[in-house]
Amino acid sequence: QVQPVESGGGLVQAGGSLRLSCVASGRTFSSYYWGWFRQAPGKERDFVADISSSGGITSYVDSVKGRFTISRDNAKGMVYLQMNSLKPEDTAVYYCARMAGKGIPVPSWGQGTQVTVSS
């Protein structure tokens, strides 16, 4: 299985914004839910958001609701995460993954992209 490739991370001050991108190629890309996860230092990888195959249904962990927006472009095989009003607690490595079920990723991880939010 082809691993996704994430990009767009960086260092930003609290209150700032970043847009993460994920290239998730494959003939079946548009058939599946895709999601974003994050792993902070010393912690487990946690669910952040996911999006349905058509893009019409999205869900978010409570801590990012109203600040983050997940989207996708099926023609390009891309998944995005727009992150606004960033907080220091958003600091983590962010990963995208195809979803195997509610909150459950297919465990084929890319290298992730580091997001660091300074206070």
Side-chain angles (χ1 to χ4, degrees):
Q1 179 160 342
V2 177
Q3 292 178 330
V5 179
E6 302 91 349
S7 63
L11 173 64
V12 64
Q13 289 188 330
S17 298
L18 286 172
R19 187 193 194 209
L20 307 185
S21 299
C22 170
V23 178
S25 59
R27 291 179 300 151
T28 60
F29 170 82
S30 61
S31 300
Y32 295 98
Y33 275 63
W34 279 80
W36 284 95
F37 294 77
R38 65 186 179 185
Q39 187 168 21
K43 296 188 177 181
E44 303 218 339
R45 187 153 26 202
D46 292 328
F47 170 83
V48 175
D50 68 8
I51 186 166
S52 64
S53 55
S54 68
I57 301 172
T58 57
S59 62
Y60 301 89
V61 66
D62 285 347
S63 60
V64 308
K65 283 181 180 177
R67 300 189 298 122
F68 290 11
T69 303
I70 188 171
S71 61
R72 65 189 293 165
D73 184 333
N74 284 342
K76 295 181 178 179
M78 300 285 293
V79 185
Y80 305 99
L81 187 68
Q82 177 66 44
M83 306 187 297
N84 299 328
S85 302
L86 282 161
K87 303 176 180 180
E89 52 263 44
D90 295 318
T91 295
V93 179
Y94 284 72
Y95 302 87
C96 68
R98 201 185 92 191
M99 302 302 291
K102 185 63 175 175
I104 303 172
V106 172
S108 178
W109 301 105
Q111 83 288 348
T113 186
Q114 175 71 49
V115 172
T116 303
V117 184
S118 63
S119 57

